[in-house]
Amino acid sequence: MPDALHDIATLSGHEARITGACFAPGRSDRLLSCGKDGALVVWTLTGEDHADAQLFRHDAPITAAHFWPDDEAAIFCADDGTARLIDLGEGTETARFTTIEAMRADAAPSSPLARRIAATADAAGTIVAALIPFGALLTAHQSAEQKKQRLSSAAADAAKSRLAAVSIKPELILFDLASLEPLRSWKLPAEAAGPPVFLANGSVAVCVGPKVLIFDEHTTRPIAAFKPSNTPLRHVLPLGPSAMIGVDESKHVVRIDLERTLSQVIARLPAQPEAVGLIGGRLLIGDTKRGVTELDLAAIAPEPVFAEPLILPGGKIRHIAGSDDGARFLAVTNDNRLRVYERRIIDPTSPASAAGPGGAPAPA
């Protein structure tokens, strides 16, 4: 029987552009989002079209956030040149890092405040109001040097307790989350650098223009540098212990063998990609035409097969990510909403197959 994607929740509340979102490790009902409004929001899906939300506020735009090392804590980086660890249960900051030094947080959290944020629902627009405990009001005093080293993206590695961050300088900085110490930093070429990616062996990959640079904490220079594409790489994702998937500006999907520093074009996308993510063994591509297309990476011979695009409301897709179990994915759309979709098996002989999410009649 075929399967189909159903929208199960549309979440809103950020007052400025959402800059990142992800699922919690091992869970498809708990999500994290961050934005230029300085908001860090933890969403817990409590039922179809319903979600509880927990809000933490920072006084500088947040550029990236991840659950770390589990769904009870998070790490984020911001425009003030800091990266911070947050205990989501207590609502307190437990550690703080800067591009200059690492330090333990010594400021007491502010008094808890209450605030409401709307978790909008399905296409009918059902709105669920969720009371959000306002956790630690995190403050930051920006120095001139910190402003120069604003963190534009970051990645956390739970296996080796590392944080990799890219500053706009541009520079790659590696932090040890166990000792709260910066380990090493590397200057990057002047071209715009993409988000860092941790590989299985603990090294860090960064795409800079059409090149992929691999860094190891024990060396002062990249341990590998190669050019898998003739045009700049827009997205790079880890694929197994020694491989990566890249998407370039010419819409090529490139498989990168890190051990042999070889690359192979495996597909050309039907539309210009705006965001990519992995869900199971499939590549999710959010394009500039509001469509989400899937490419099965295990079935690309003799030629790649793309699933029928799912057209999302809300404009082009800025960010996309899949859950660990492969059942759900999230998409951040241009209307500043976080949309969650689920894959379901459809039985064409069942009357329920003619209904939309929540049992409502499917649109014509």
Side-chain angles (χ1 to χ4, degrees):
M1 290 182 287
D3 56 4
L5 294 170
H6 289 271
D7 56 322
I8 61 171
T10 301
L11 312 174
S12 69
H14 280 277
E15 298 169 357
R17 178 176 171 178
I18 298 174
T19 53
C22 63
F23 284 95
R27 295 183 62 171
S28 60
D29 64 337
R30 193 162 166 86
L31 302 85
L32 181 70
S33 64
C34 61
K36 287 190 173 182
D37 54 357
L40 183 75
V41 186
V42 181
W43 308 89
T44 303
L45 303 178
T46 57
E48 195 163 88
D49 304 331
H50 295 80
D52 291 334
Q54 185 181 16
L55 171 69
F56 301 90
R57 180 73 72 179
H58 187 53
D59 63 355
I62 299 176
T63 53
H66 305 272
F67 286 102
W68 190 91
D70 52 34
D71 65 333
E72 296 302 322
I75 189 166
F76 72 85
C77 64
D79 261 2
D80 59 7
T82 65
R84 299 167 187 246
L85 280 168
I86 304 296
D87 184 315
L88 299 175
E90 298 293 330
T92 57
E93 176 185 329
T94 58
R96 184 186 311 172
F97 310 87
T98 75
T99 54
I100 304 169
E101 62 179 345
M103 67 191 79
R104 286 196 178 276
D106 54 4
S110 63
S111 300
L113 302 175
R115 182 174 179 176
R116 289 186 175 272
I117 198 167
T120 56
D122 58 8
T126 304
I127 298 179
V128 179
L131 185 66
I132 304 168
F134 188 91
L137 177 61
L138 305 176
T139 61
H141 300 284
Q142 297 187 47
S143 67
E145 183 63 22
Q146 285 176 326
K147 289 179 180 178
K148 291 180 183 178
Q149 301 206 24
R150 288 181 299 167
L151 300 178
S152 60
S153 59
D157 178 20
K160 294 195 174 184
S161 297
R162 299 288 192 266
L163 171 71
V166 172
S167 73
I168 64 170
K169 203 168 184 175
E171 191 174 26
L172 174 66
I173 308 111
L174 188 65
F175 294 99
D176 187 331
L177 296 176
S179 65
L180 306 180
E181 292 292 334
L183 294 173
R184 189 177 292 279
S185 64
W186 301 268
K187 290 184 178 180
L188 297 174
E191 298 97 329
V197 176
F198 274 104
L199 306 177
N201 62 3
S203 59
V204 184
V206 180
C207 60
V208 182
K211 295 182 179 179
V212 174
L213 306 179
I214 311 295
F215 296 88
D216 182 89
E217 65 178 275
H218 303 294
T219 62
T220 57
R221 295 179 178 273
I223 59 174
F226 57 104
K227 187 178 178 181
S229 174
N230 291 323
T231 57
L233 291 164
R234 298 190 61 184
H235 312 278
V236 175
L237 298 169
L239 185 68
S242 60
M244 298 172 66
I245 286 289
V247 180
D248 66 18
E249 288 188 352
S250 298
K251 301 187 290 188
H252 293 121
V253 180
V254 185
R255 187 191 295 272
I256 304 168
D257 186 323
L258 297 171
E259 289 184 347
R260 297 184 292 173
T261 62
L262 297 175
S263 60
Q264 176 189 10
V265 175
I266 59 174
R268 191 172 191 273
L269 302 178
Q272 187 66 45
E274 185 69 24
V276 298
L278 290 171
I279 179 169
R282 302 181 299 277
L283 182 68
L284 288 172
I285 308 107
D287 60 48
T288 54
K289 297 180 180 179
R290 302 187 302 159
V292 175
T293 306
E294 292 186 20
L295 172 63
D296 189 344
L297 297 174
I300 58 173
E303 61 182 34
V305 177
F306 295 95
E308 188 71 20
L310 173 69
I311 305 300
L312 273 59
K316 69 179 181 181
I317 300 157
R318 295 190 177 277
H319 186 81
I320 197 165
S323 60
D324 289 346
D325 61 6
R328 292 178 177 175
F329 77 87
L330 61 84
V332 175
T333 47
N334 207 35
D335 60 355
N336 220 35
R337 285 177 166 81
L338 183 65
R339 304 175 189 275
V340 185
Y341 289 81
E342 183 175 73
R343 184 179 301 280
R344 297 176 183 171
I345 301 298
I346 300 300
D347 183 355
T349 65
S350 170
S353 65

